[in-house]
Each structure stands twice: as C-alpha cells, then as structure tokens.
Amino acid sequence: SLSTHRRIINLSQYLSEMLDANKDIDRPGETLPDEFGNETWYLFGETFTKEWAEFLQHYNLPTCQSCTPLHRQQSMIALSFGIGNIGSGVQWHLHGPGFSETIHGRKHWVLYPPQSIPVYKMEYASRHWMENVYPNLEDWNDQDVKMELKHDEEFLKMWKRVSAKQRHFDGMMGNENESIDEIEEQGPSNKKPWECTINAGEMIYFPDGWHHATINLERYTVFVSSFTTEHN
C-alpha cells in the first residue's frame, strides 16, 4: 500500500521493537501522533514468501465472486498479513478493491470516495492526521448527504464506463473520449470522512480507488487483507 523504507527482520524482533516503542517516555508500545512515518515500522504488505504463503493458506477467504479457490490458485487474489501496535497505521493512500479482517484487536478506518481528496502531511504517520486534521473537519448535514449521493452516483457511472486500462491508454494517446480527466477529483474535502471501527472477527470492504487510512486501537492489532478484483 504505502511505505517509506523496508527492513527484513525476524517476526520476534519486530514484535519486541513494536511493544517496547517509546518505553523510555512511559508510552510503551505506542506510536505517537508527532512521529514521522519514516521513523516508525509496520508489518504489512510484503508477506509473500513461501513461509507466509503456507501460513495464509489456512485463512478462510471472504465470501465474494472473486474469492474462490480457483482465484487463489491463479493468483488473482493477494493476501497480506499485518500486525501493528496502538497508534500505528497506514497514511492516506488508494489502490484496487478488497477486504480487510481484524483477527485480534481493533482497527479504525477512514475513507473518502475517489472524487474527494484528503488533506494530509505524507511525512507523518496516520495518527497525526487523526488527531490534528480530523477534529477541524465539518460534520455532514442533510444537504451534504444528498449532494454526496448524487456525486457518487455520477462518479460510479463514469467509473464503470472507463476501465483502468482505458484511462491509462486514453491518457497516453491523448484521446478526447471518456478518460480519467472526466472523472477528475473534485478537490480537498472539508467534510469528515466515512469511518468505522473494525473489531476482532469483523471485516470491511474497501472499493476500488477509494482513499483510505487506518489506525490501530489496541496494544497490538492483527489483521489480514485480501486484495481482489471484486468491483460489485
């Protein structure tokens, strides 16, 4: 999804570092809101080695049209295992569709539809946005909801007509028919995002192209994300 640096270390070493973080200032096992993203470590993403693949074979896939054993066999669904301490998470980013299930702990999600742009500072971890930007955003009123639903319906119609490959091709060739330019983002959003907390045993579906960020709420949170081609 998003990373600044990568390290290859043993899982036991990662867990020890994660749970002892900021122990010297009496905030053990916690990622603080003023910490920079490139100074914190987060196990998520590149769990694709033979050992991880064998481990994740025991995971029951979500119930969806593109989550069958055949899709897994043909590598059309990618699984990623993650563990994060309290306050850790992934800063705003976007990618294709999928699911994320919390196995242990709690994870908070914030999301914006593709046409809205979150305002954030990339150099900070996601907790900085949660505690410094989120409180200043406006609540939704009834008119906002009606306008958002209208924009979402229009955007979704266009999104379905223009596939990712078509958008890329049209952009390169300079075609004047439907392209990514016609479904351009509206601009920075001053409204609060869509949000929810995923508890242990619960799962979220994140649609294609939606901006999202996460923050872990327990001493340690364990989760599995399934990246699919599920667009419905």
Side-chain angles (χ1 to χ4, degrees):
S1 294
L2 177 70
S3 61
T4 303
H5 300 296
R6 290 174 171 82
R7 286 196 306 167
I8 299 177
I9 60 175
N10 293 329
L11 179 60
S12 59
Q13 180 183 345
Y14 169 74
L15 293 175
S16 177
E17 291 182 5
M18 179 186 75
L19 296 177
D20 286 340
N22 292 313
K23 190 175 182 178
D24 56 329
I25 56 173
D26 295 327
R27 304 286 288 274
E30 185 174 351
T31 296
L32 304 178
D34 59 348
E35 288 191 76
F36 291 105
N38 62 2
E39 296 175 350
T40 61
W41 298 101
Y42 191 48
L43 172 61
F44 176 61
E46 296 184 4
T47 50
F48 305 125
T49 62
K50 178 182 177 182
E51 292 79 8
W52 281 113
E54 293 176 351
F55 173 72
L56 290 171
Q57 281 293 326
H58 299 285
Y59 178 71
N60 293 323
L61 294 176
T63 303
C64 74
Q65 295 179 354
S66 59
C67 301
T68 67
L70 180 60
H71 286 90
R72 173 180 262 176
Q73 182 181 350
Q74 295 177 342
S75 299
M76 295 181 68
I77 180 170
L79 298 180
S80 184
F81 178 85
I83 302 178
N85 59 321
I86 186 170
S88 65
V90 181
Q91 186 58 283
W92 284 100
H93 64 289
L94 56 85
H95 45 63
F99 301 83
S100 186
E101 179 179 3
T102 300
I103 308 300
H104 177 87
R106 294 181 301 137
K107 179 184 288 290
H108 193 73
W109 285 70
V110 287
L111 308 95
Y112 279 115
Q115 69 272 22
S116 300
I117 305 175
V119 178
Y120 62 98
K121 294 182 178 180
M122 176 64 76
E123 63 268 28
Y124 285 102
S126 58
R127 185 174 177 181
H128 181 272
W129 186 92
M130 301 285 188
E131 297 192 14
N132 290 276
V133 178
Y134 177 89
N136 298 317
L137 297 175
E138 298 177 6
D139 291 320
W140 292 58
N141 57 43
D142 291 342
Q143 185 61 30
D144 291 330
V145 173
K146 291 179 181 179
M147 291 298 298
E148 183 66 24
L149 290 174
K150 179 181 178 182
H151 289 154
D152 289 347
E153 289 175 0
E154 295 173 350
F155 188 90
L156 183 59
K157 290 178 183 178
M158 180 71 76
W159 189 264
K160 288 181 176 179
R161 288 199 298 265
V162 185
S163 69
K165 289 184 178 179
Q166 287 174 323
R167 295 199 302 272
H168 179 68
F169 178 80
D170 291 341
M172 292 184 63
M173 300 302 293
N175 294 345
E176 295 182 358
N177 57 347
E178 289 181 331
S179 69
I180 188 62
D181 293 334
E182 297 184 55
I183 51 177
E184 212 168 72
E185 295 165 317
Q186 295 174 350
S189 177
N190 62 347
K191 300 294 182 181
K192 289 183 177 178
W194 298 30
E195 59 184 313
C196 61
T197 297
I198 308 300
N199 299 298
E202 297 178 343
M203 180 182 296
I204 185 175
Y205 169 73
F206 44 86
D208 186 19
W210 277 55
H211 307 272
H212 56 280
T214 63
I215 184 169
N216 298 304
L217 303 178
E218 298 290 349
R219 186 165 183 260
Y220 68 94
T221 297
V222 182
F223 59 97
V224 175
S225 292
S226 307
F227 298 93
T228 73
T229 57
E230 188 78 6
H231 291 271
N232 296 321

